[in-house]
């Protein structure tokens, strides 16, 4: 929950801190880029674990993070 990725708490905290330092627009771009890197890394590691037979939990977490992040951007409307 403390990973610096949106919509997690760590992402919101990092965005707030970066806004003070960089300004709102630069902070938003940076935290989105960091989120994408974390999201892709999580999904890749999860896929690697799933293929090697070590479980799918990390892959599921990556998929959830992707869905949540697209909701944060307003790409996917939730209920």
């Amino acid at each position: 929950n403390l990973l610096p990725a949106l919509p997690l708490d760590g992402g919101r905290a990092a965005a707030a801190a970066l806004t003070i330092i960089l300004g709102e627009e630069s902070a938003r771009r940076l935290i989105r880029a960091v989120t994408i890197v974390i999201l892709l890394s999580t999904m890749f590691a999860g896929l690697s674990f799933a293929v090697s037979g070590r479980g799918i939990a990390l892959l599921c977490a990556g998929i959830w993070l992707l869905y949540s992040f697209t909701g944060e951007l307003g790409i996917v409307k939730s209920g």
Side-chain angles (χ1 to χ4, degrees), residues 24-75:
E24 189 173 343
E25 187 59 34
S26 295
R28 183 178 297 131
R29 280 185 296 203
L30 181 59
I31 200 67
R32 284 181 180 169
V34 168
T35 297
I36 291 169
V37 168
I38 290 172
L39 183 147
L40 292 175
S41 298
T42 303
M43 290 183 72
F44 179 74
L47 184 60
S48 174
F49 276 34
V51 168
S52 67
R54 291 188 267 173
I56 62 166
L58 195 55
L59 179 59
C60 291
I63 292 169
W64 175 84
L65 189 57
L66 173 65
Y67 181 76
S68 299
F69 181 60
T70 56
E72 184 81 15
L73 295 176
I75 296 171

